[in-house]
Amino acid sequence: GALLALSKPPGLPVLGHPGDLSLDALLPALRRRLGLAAELHVVKAPAREYSGLVLLSSCYHTTKKLQQFFTSARWRGQYPATYRAITVGVPTEVEGVISTGLCWQQQGDRAMVVPVRAPGRRSLARKDVKSTLTHYRVLSAGGGCALLQLQPRTAFPEQLQVHLTLLLCPALGDHKHSSRVGRVLGVPFFLTLETAPTRTQVLDEELLSRLGLSPQQLHHLPLHIHLQELVLP
């Protein structure tokens, strides 16, 4: 019917400045190639850094109905979106929930998303901090890495990356938040933003060898978080 599903590569933004490569800029060409009479609208798409499922619609009313469904599903405590992630490190518990406040914090000339463990009522009411929750499950593990299923019940920029660092298992290819997981004698611990500036993710030699990468190539490694499934009404 009106729906179309695509698989988006990591690094492609949904929206961009005029002249930039973005999903939105590609929709007219896609419409012509498919011979569609109506314009295509983005119903749901993963963030720029993520790969995975993009849901498009050629019907404005269908788009609005589905977007309202995704929002109300989260309010009802459901998990309409399921992600997969490869992590550096294996969570202690096979399954669980990550729940924390998240907010934007200025760090030099850039804004970063940081966790707020016990947000106050006033900061939540002012919406300075948002309560966030992600359900996770370990699907498999080996070689110091894990494949996780992630189901966010809230929506906040970079929520999944920050939640994975709170598990002390940052996503593979996370060059923005992984520096907050430090190690002493092989035991991971969480670092604050002030003590852990952003840098290219550091991987041990064994993992680098298995990936077939040199340390100089690491900054090209994409973020391994993938939107795998969307549940429709």
Side-chain angles (χ1 to χ4, degrees):
L3 296 178
L4 175 68
L6 306 175
S7 182
K8 184 184 86 68
L12 179 68
V14 177
L15 299 173
H17 298 293
D20 290 349
L21 181 64
S22 68
L23 179 62
D24 188 62
L26 294 171
L27 292 184
L30 179 63
R31 173 189 168 191
R32 290 192 298 270
R33 178 174 291 187
L34 296 175
L36 299 176
E39 288 185 13
L40 287 168
H41 309 278
V42 178
V43 179
K44 186 82 171 173
R48 176 183 189 139
E49 299 85 2
Y50 301 174
S51 61
L53 181 60
V54 171
L55 190 63
L56 304 173
S57 168
S58 59
C59 171
Y60 177 80
H61 297 292
T62 300
T63 301
K64 289 301 174 186
K65 182 179 178 181
L66 286 173
Q67 288 174 340
Q68 289 168 1
F69 163 76
F70 287 126
T71 301
S72 62
R74 290 198 297 267
W75 290 343
R76 292 193 300 269
Q78 297 173 340
Y79 300 93
T82 299
Y83 293 77
R84 293 280 173 94
I86 295 176
T87 61
V88 181
V90 181
T92 306
E93 302 292 334
V94 174
E95 189 169 356
V97 168
I98 311 143
S99 179
T100 187
L102 290 180
C103 73
W104 289 98
Q105 180 176 316
Q106 199 66 28
Q107 180 73 5
D109 59 350
R110 64 191 302 185
M112 295 286 290
V113 179
V114 296
V116 181
R117 300 282 188 157
R121 290 183 180 179
R122 289 184 179 179
S123 61
L124 290 170
R126 292 194 306 265
K127 298 185 178 179
D128 296 333
V129 179
K130 180 173 179 176
S131 291
T132 59
L133 186 148
T134 300
H135 179 269
Y136 78 90
R137 183 158 62 93
V138 178
L139 300 177
S140 64
C145 293
L147 175 65
L148 266 61
Q149 175 181 284
L150 302 171
Q151 292 179 304
R153 215 180 88 182
T154 51
F156 196 89
E158 302 171 19
Q159 173 178 321
L160 297 181
Q161 296 104 295
V162 177
H163 281 188
L164 289 174
T165 64
L166 291 174
L167 276 182
L168 304 179
C169 300
L172 182 66
D174 186 351
H175 307 300
K176 195 169 186 180
H177 299 278
S178 61
S179 59
R180 293 186 222 173
V181 179
R183 288 185 180 273
V184 173
L185 299 176
V187 179
F189 62 96
F190 190 78
L191 293 162
T192 63
L193 184 61
E194 293 75 22
T195 58
T198 299
R199 66 172 186 218
T200 299
Q201 188 174 34
V202 176
L203 302 178
D204 61 40
E205 291 184 8
E206 183 183 348
L207 183 53
L208 277 175
S209 176
R210 294 212 311 276
L211 291 170
L213 296 173
S214 69
Q216 293 74 29
Q217 293 172 315
L218 251 181
H219 68 279
H220 293 300
L221 187 67
L223 182 67
H224 281 58
I225 298 180
H226 181 84
L227 177 54
Q228 188 211 12
E229 180 181 271
L230 290 171
V231 177
L232 302 181

